Amino acid sequence: MGPQSSAGLTTLDGPATAAGVQLAADPVGFASDPWWLILFKAVLVFAFCVVMTLFAIWWERKVVAWMQMRIGPKHVGPQGLLQSLADGVKLAFKEDIIVKAADRPVYILAPVVAMVPAFMAFAVIPMGGQVSMFGHQTHLQMTDLPVGVLYILATASVGIYGIVLAGWSSGSTYPLLGSLRSTAQMISYEVAMGLSFAGVFLYAGSMSTSEIVAQQTDTWYAVLLPVSFIIYVIAMVGETNRAPFDLPEAEGELVGGFHTEYSSLKFALFFLAEYVNMVVVSSLATTLFLGGYRAPWPISAVWDGANSGWWTLLWYFLKVQAFLFLFIWLRGTLPRLRYDQFMKLGWKVLIPTSLAWLLLVATVRALKNEGYDYRNIVLGIAGAIIVVLVLSVVWDMMRGAEDDDGGEEPLPGTPGAKEPFDPMAGGFPVPPLPGQELPPVPRRNVRRTEPVGAAVGAGSSSPENPADPTDTTDREV
């Protein structure tokens, strides 16, 4: 656990000057790194993001192929490992087309705006513990901030501007609709994501990423805060526009979404930003809920050196890969949600659940700080939850009884009857809302070809007009 400065902020810059402050177990801080080492770590982070993107694309194609009983890429490189690199080179050499109606400066700048913040977020993510580089003791982290998690949220919020500007500057209807969807999606799920972080801040007592990892030495926050963890996992899938939340680029109704009018290297930059963002949110989930770069419990219990040196990078990498596999698994399993279902999940389920859970976590922490026994706190909260559930069941039963006593619905045309749904009332066809039904479609008479004699024999045969089996004239039945 790092020392506290006189301002009350957690730092890793060595011993603080204020009295009564704990000294850092590691006196080597980020400020002691020479400039060339900082530059070298920045290059390593950039290379890591690019290589992870190439690997994630290959792995996604392999896993989805395995789920669909196919082979997947196998020709370019061993087991097809270089297929992603070949696709990137191919995109770079394709013709770069700029549509005539595009706003050229914004159109060119949008992919860069989407890509750069994704790389910036890695500045405060701890990828490992203290290691030795070229004779210098340093951390596998570029820097640390007292508000590191808020910095990541800020960069993620800036990245959405790239998608919005891409859709607006293309001068086309479908990219604009995709960018508007992405804006609504970011607003809906960013709120739930931020609320899921608040419980972690209450338990860790800090917003520093390295401090949050240090506080999970005994128990991961995914165990202590399971609801926050589940909400964050759902929100991170929606935040990255991945299936089943890939509505901004739904090809069924938007052709390709916000990047429809992009080609060549600009199109590749959007893909790079998407996969780097997947690595960012997976790294953040690892840092906040799975102990960061610390080894999982069975390994750390039997091996003292598991949480030291370059081994910490291995645990970080494996945890991130587990979240990437979750992204791929969801894409190969779940269908795309309808847009109203997607908004309902964000505003009516995730956000209220996050607020209620945050209130519960804050109450538990406050009671524990006041000295109450943890068992009594759990029993009291469990009793309150049971009472609320019982009251909700009774309320639903009373409402159901009132609905049953309401009698039959009035006939159409009588006072109190529901107005029939007219899909053309606004001048163009619209889908029905929940509870509305489309009017029955008038169907024409079915035509089928059969001998006239058969029809006559079945209905109007007589001795004066015998059936002619050779007559095959079409008749309406």
Side-chain angles (χ1 to χ4, degrees):
M1 181 174 177
Q4 300 275 336
S5 65
S6 58
L9 300 179
T10 304
T11 65
L12 292 174
D13 296 335
T17 57
V21 176
Q22 291 182 343
L23 296 180
D26 173 25
V28 180
F30 297 97
S32 62
D33 291 340
W35 66 270
W36 58 266
L37 185 56
I38 297 174
L39 182 61
F40 180 73
K41 289 199 293 185
V43 173
L44 286 182
V45 168
F46 179 81
F48 173 79
C49 293
V50 174
V51 172
M52 282 293 293
T53 299
L54 298 177
F55 176 77
I57 295 173
W58 170 83
W59 197 27
E60 180 170 11
R61 297 173 68 177
K62 276 291 188 181
V63 172
V64 173
W66 170 69
M67 297 177 72
Q68 298 173 353
M69 299 181 70
R70 297 186 288 108
I71 297 177
K74 67 171 185 175
H75 293 294
V76 185
Q79 297 296 320
L81 276 170
L82 300 181
Q83 184 65 58
S84 302
L85 180 61
D87 293 340
V89 173
K90 179 185 69 174
L91 279 174
F93 283 98
K94 277 185 173 291
E95 182 181 2
D96 190 9
I97 301 173
I98 299 180
V99 293
K100 185 181 296 185
D103 188 335
R104 290 181 65 93
V106 181
Y107 179 86
I108 296 173
L109 187 62
V112 180
V113 175
M115 180 193 64
V116 171
F119 287 95
M120 292 176 59
F122 267 95
V124 296
I125 291 179
M127 302 170 65
Q130 183 179 341
V131 297
S132 176
M133 283 189 181
F134 307 107
H136 291 267
Q137 294 294 321
T138 184
H139 297 268
L140 290 176
Q141 181 180 357
M142 288 190 63
T143 187
D144 192 24
L145 298 174
V147 289
V149 180
L150 297 184
Y151 167 81
I152 297 175
L153 285 175
T155 55
S157 301
V158 173
I160 200 67
Y161 282 96
I163 296 177
V164 176
L165 294 177
W168 177 82
S169 63
S170 295
S172 181
T173 303
Y174 293 115
L176 179 60
L177 291 176
S179 64
L180 292 177
R181 282 187 176 189
S182 186
T183 304
Q185 189 164 325
M186 184 272 295
I187 294 173
S188 302
Y189 284 78
E190 192 88 14
V191 176
M193 181 181 289
L195 290 174
S196 67
F197 292 162
V200 175
F201 299 156
L202 288 174
Y203 265 80
S206 174
M207 296 182 186
S208 166
T209 52
S210 60
E211 183 67 19
I212 291 173
V213 172
Q215 292 293 332
Q216 299 180 70
T217 303
D218 298 326
T219 308
W220 292 352
Y221 288 150
V223 178
L224 296 176
L225 304 169
V227 177
S228 296
F229 178 62
I230 294 173
I231 291 174
Y232 174 78
V233 169
I234 298 174
M236 79 177 185
V237 179
E239 190 76 8
T240 52
N241 299 336
R242 291 283 301 184
F245 303 146
D246 55 340
L247 294 162
E249 47 190 274
E251 69 279 359
E253 61 268 24
L254 297 182
V255 184
F258 60 90
H259 54 62
T260 299
E261 304 294 346
Y262 280 87
S263 61
S264 187
L265 195 58
K266 299 184 184 66
F267 181 79
L269 291 180
F270 279 118
F271 263 79
L272 178 62
E274 176 180 333
Y275 280 91
V276 173
N277 276 322
M278 287 171 55
V279 180
V280 169
V281 296
S282 300
S283 300
L284 190 57
T286 298
T287 300
L288 298 183
F289 295 101
L290 297 187
Y293 54 80
R294 305 188 67 84
W297 168 74
I299 299 176
S300 60
V302 299
W303 182 17
D304 295 335
N307 292 320
S308 61
W310 291 95
W311 288 107
T312 55
L313 183 61
L314 175 63
W315 315 131
Y316 161 81
F317 178 78
L318 293 178
K319 293 175 184 178
V320 170
Q321 289 303 318
F323 281 106
L324 292 180
F325 178 78
L326 176 63
F327 278 107
I328 300 170
W329 184 26
L330 293 177
R331 178 177 179 178
T333 306
L334 298 180
R336 182 180 295 126
L337 294 180
R338 209 171 60 232
Y339 197 71
D340 61 324
Q341 296 173 334
F342 178 71
M343 289 290 105
K344 180 180 179 180
L345 176 64
W347 289 101
K348 294 186 177 181
V349 178
L350 293 184
I351 294 178
T353 304
S354 300
L355 290 172
W357 173 252
L358 180 59
L359 178 62
L360 180 63
V361 171
T363 302
V364 171
R365 294 298 294 176
L367 292 175
K368 193 172 182 180
N369 292 337
E370 291 293 330
Y372 288 90
D373 183 61
Y374 190 75
R375 181 180 302 177
N376 295 334
I377 296 174
V378 172
L379 291 176
I381 292 177
I385 293 175
I386 292 174
V387 170
V388 172
L389 291 177
V390 171
L391 291 177
S392 64
V393 171
V394 173
W395 175 256
D396 290 339
M397 295 174 61
M398 294 175 61
R399 291 186 60 185
E402 292 177 358
D403 294 339
D404 293 339
D405 295 339
E408 298 181 356
E409 293 186 2
L411 297 175
T414 60
K418 295 182 179 180
E419 293 292 332
F421 171 65
D422 184 8
M424 299 294 294
F428 53 90
V430 295
L433 293 173
Q436 295 178 336
E437 294 182 358
L438 289 170
V441 179
R443 300 187 179 277
R444 65 180 182 179
N445 294 331
V446 180
R447 295 179 62 90
R448 72 185 181 198
T449 302
E450 66 177 13
V452 175
V456 173
S460 61
S461 62
S462 63
E464 294 80 7
N465 187 21
D468 184 3
T470 62
D471 188 358
T472 57
T473 306
D474 289 350
R475 300 177 63 90
E476 289 190 4
V477 179

